[in-house]
Amino acid sequence: QVQLVESGGGLVQAGGSLRLSCAASGRSFSTYAMGWFRQAPGTEREFVAAINWSGGSTNYADSVKGRFTISRDNAKNSVYLQMNSLKPEDTAVYYCAADPRGWAHNRRNLYDYWGQGTQVTVSS
């Protein structure tokens, strides 16, 4: 069982930056793939970024490539999402997710564990 807690959301102006963090409980964190998803009101939850168990492989949605960076620190049981050049369309609740299979991917239904989400609002 893995519990995930996101933090770091907030209100930022367009062009600004935020860094999201996700703290995980459980001894198997270093074997899990981790992903970030987001959901805006009235829309489906969509993939943002993923990182494999070692941090050696990452995967990004086209909409965030070149602006967002996912990373992890297995010693701290944490995964991060650095978000730069933020746009109003990045406004959403951001969720951290964990997949015991270990490989970075964008398939929402394969992530077994989810956090409660953190709100990111980008003003124009």
Side-chain angles (χ1 to χ4, degrees), residues 9-111:
L11 173 64
V12 63
Q13 288 189 333
S17 299
L18 280 176
R19 188 191 194 212
L20 304 184
S21 298
C22 174
S25 66
R27 292 174 292 178
S28 299
F29 174 80
S30 62
T31 67
Y32 282 51
M34 299 299 296
W36 286 97
F37 290 75
R38 66 187 182 187
Q39 188 168 20
T43 70
E44 290 192 354
R45 194 170 299 187
E46 66 174 6
F47 170 74
V48 175
I51 190 166
N52 76 330
W53 64 275
S54 69
S57 177
T58 57
N59 190 351
Y60 294 93
D62 288 343
S63 58
V64 307
K65 277 181 183 176
R67 300 189 298 122
F68 291 10
T69 302
I70 189 171
S71 62
R72 68 189 296 160
D73 186 338
N74 287 343
K76 295 183 178 180
N77 275 19
S78 294
V79 64
Y80 309 99
L81 186 68
Q82 177 66 44
M83 305 186 295
N84 299 328
S85 302
L86 282 161
K87 305 174 181 179
E89 51 263 44
D90 294 318
T91 296
V93 176
Y94 283 70
Y95 297 90
C96 172
D99 179 2
R101 278 161 283 266
W103 51 284
H105 64 85
N106 61 2
R107 298 174 64 180
R108 184 180 64 189
N109 61 311
L110 294 184
Y111 286 87

Side-chain angles (χ1 to χ4, degrees), residues 102-124:
W103 51 284
H105 64 85
N106 61 2
R107 298 174 64 180
R108 184 180 64 189
N109 61 311
L110 294 184
Y111 286 87
D112 290 345
Y113 304 102
W114 293 83
Q116 83 290 347
T118 185
Q119 176 70 48
V120 171
T121 303
V122 184
S123 63
S124 57

